[in-house]
Amino acid sequence: MSARNILVINCGSSSIKFALVNEALPDFALSGLAERLGSAEAQVHWQQGGSQQSLLLPGADHRAALAQVLPLVQAAAGGELHGIGHRVVHGGEHFTAACRLDNASLNAIRATAPLAPLHNPANLLGIEAAIKLFPSLTQVAVFDTAFHQTLPEHAYRYALPEHLYREHGVRRYGFHGTSHRFVSQRAAELAGLSFGDSSWLVAHLGNGCSTCAIEAGQSRDTSMGLTPLEGVVMGTRSGDVDPNLHSHLARTLGWSLEQIETLLNKDSGLLGLSGLSNDMRSLEKAREQGHAGATLAIEVFCYRLAKSLAAMSCALTRLDGLIFTGGIGENSPLIRSKTVAHLKLLNLALDPAANARTIRGVAGPIQAYGHPRVMVVPTNEERQIALDTLALLEA
């Protein structure tokens, strides 16, 4: 059988990220982004081989953008497209693994929309558009939350009245599951360990950030909760704050719920602390120039990240390694060094030279000699979605 091609689609409210994954090739045959959909500035950008191209699509919606992308995908796949894998942010308790898309699964995703009102409806736009354009092709949903459905009840329940969980699904779900699963499997391979008999702490660090404890191939705890706002400091999200902050701001400043949600999701995190940027690269440069806000943002980010990793260790019976991944985790020796410096009780320490050279897609160990394993493992959520889609095709 020739190597199969899977189109991976990640839909936002006004964007579509896409990648054509060939199971035999390490790099994407085609990848791109349609953005500003629904506006006069709508456009699509794509990369194939060494070339980059763009096309203006004024007023295009998700279906119109996918209709433009389809010929590019078909040509790059040599006319052989075997399936489509869709990223879906929230699967609630209904989905514990990837699933084929049919009327029943679509209805279940719609029913879960109240848990992710910004994400699931956008994901559904892409799914529905793709089904209309590819009615005979197998299509699969892969959920950010599914990997974390192995959390024990004592890890996923909030200390709230029972009926809020039973009747309204208020519990911790976790996100970034596709990335946490991919990098922990890859780390086990690189370390020569069996994934099913290994234990990892993972720090997925990008504009969104989360930590995870993985043992015997299963997520046992994670930092994000009911929504992706819980947990560590992120690019523009606050992470954990006093739960009474909402009422404090409402009482003292007269703020509305919408204002507070905007503050916590879009105006906080690295951006809020620094008063400068949510981009770690910019903050590191500003720190070198003595910018106090950037320096504080980095210190808080690393300390809170280390606290979360230390807390995650409670879910493990041993530690085979700490994994850094995501744009910051893969490319910032400074953040890795500062974070590990707070974890002396876990006996973690880095080799400065190995840490400095492990950037820009390089994977490997960075721990100091004689200390527990610390690894940098580039994530590839698109490939994991493609692998899940292929597994369902074979099933």
Side-chain angles (χ1 to χ4, degrees):
M1 180 191 294
S2 61
R4 293 162 296 177
N5 295 299
I6 300 296
L7 172 62
V8 175
I9 294 175
N10 178 359
C11 241
S13 58
S14 61
S15 67
I16 304 171
K17 291 181 184 176
F18 59 91
L20 180 63
V21 181
N22 181 286
E23 62 180 330
L25 300 176
D27 298 319
F28 300 143
L30 174 79
S31 64
L33 170 69
E35 61 180 347
R36 301 174 186 167
L37 298 180
S39 77
E41 292 80 37
Q43 54 190 301
V44 60
H45 315 277
W46 68 94
Q47 301 175 53
Q48 188 172 6
S51 68
Q52 299 183 4
Q53 298 184 63
S54 296
L55 178 67
L56 289 172
L57 302 171
D61 60 9
H62 290 75
R63 187 175 181 186
L66 281 174
Q68 288 290 337
V69 168
L70 166 60
L72 303 172
V73 172
Q74 293 283 32
E80 291 290 323
L81 189 60
H82 298 87
I84 301 179
H86 295 269
R87 178 191 180 220
V88 179
V89 167
H90 216 307
E93 290 186 318
H94 189 90
F95 297 100
T96 59
C99 73
R100 286 177 182 258
L101 285 163
D102 54 24
N103 286 334
S105 57
L106 282 169
N107 286 334
I109 294 170
R110 290 188 189 100
T112 308
L115 292 172
L118 298 179
H119 296 93
N120 275 30
N123 300 151
L124 281 163
L125 285 173
I127 290 169
E128 289 162 354
I131 288 173
K132 286 177 181 174
L133 290 167
F134 306 91
S136 61
L137 207 57
T138 297
Q139 306 209 25
V140 169
V142 179
F143 302 89
D144 280 12
T145 53
F147 182 56
H148 302 302
Q149 283 298 298
T150 52
L151 263 64
E153 190 171 20
H154 65 256
Y156 72 71
R157 285 290 298 275
Y158 290 117
L160 295 170
E162 175 90 359
H163 69 90
L164 287 172
Y165 168 59
R166 298 295 174 194
E167 298 171 25
H168 303 286
V170 177
R171 52 157 283 183
R172 303 182 67 250
Y173 290 96
F175 300 87
H176 293 144
T178 305
S179 175
H180 287 300
R181 180 157 60 108
F182 180 86
V183 299
S184 53
Q185 287 176 324
R186 181 72 182 126
E189 289 173 16
L190 292 170
L193 301 173
S194 164
F195 181 50
D197 185 26
S198 60
S199 297
W200 304 96
L201 291 173
V202 183
H204 173 106
L205 310 177
N207 192 47
C209 303
S210 66
T211 60
C212 189
I214 299 167
E215 185 158 87
Q218 295 186 330
S219 173
R220 308 307 293 166
D221 201 357
T222 190
S223 58
M224 285 178 167
L226 174 71
T227 74
L229 183 60
E230 185 178 346
V232 298
V233 174
M234 305 176 222
T236 64
R237 296 181 201 141
S238 63
D240 292 340
V241 294
D242 187 325
N244 217 32
L245 177 64
H246 285 70
S247 58
H248 174 75
L249 292 174
R251 280 196 313 271
T252 59
L253 300 179
W255 284 20
S256 67
L257 184 59
E258 290 74 18
Q259 285 177 294
I260 298 167
E261 286 184 338
T262 298
L263 168 80
L264 296 177
N265 282 284
K266 298 181 178 178
D267 300 329
S268 297
L270 293 172
L271 175 63
L273 277 166
S274 69
L276 185 66
S277 176
N278 65 316
D279 189 307
M280 187 61 80
R281 293 166 294 188
S282 299
L283 296 181
E284 289 192 19
K285 287 178 184 174
R287 173 183 171 272
E288 290 171 4
Q289 296 162 3
H291 191 286
T295 302
L296 176 65
I298 288 170
E299 294 298 330
V300 173
F301 181 91
C302 294
Y303 179 66
R304 293 277 295 275
L305 173 59
K307 275 180 66 175
S308 180
L309 289 166
M312 289 295 122
S313 71
C314 294
L316 302 179
T317 56
R318 71 170 193 267
L319 180 61
D320 288 317
L322 165 62
I323 303 164
F324 286 99
T325 193
I328 298 171
E330 295 166 29
N331 293 295
S332 178
L334 175 69
I335 296 303
R336 298 190 298 241
S337 175
K338 282 187 162 293
T339 300
V340 169
H342 290 301
L343 293 168
K344 290 185 176 68
L345 282 179
L346 294 181
N347 195 31
L348 297 174
L350 300 187
D351 177 306
N355 185 36
R357 66 173 174 261
T358 311
I359 55 174
R360 298 190 185 93
V362 176
I366 59 171
Q367 74 273 7
Y369 179 77
H371 288 267
R373 187 182 288 110
V374 181
M375 302 183 75
V376 177
V377 181
T379 192
N380 193 330
E381 293 170 277
E382 291 85 358
R383 182 161 292 279
Q384 186 62 60
I385 291 170
L387 291 170
D388 288 350
T389 302
L390 287 167
L392 282 173
L393 284 177
E394 291 165 357

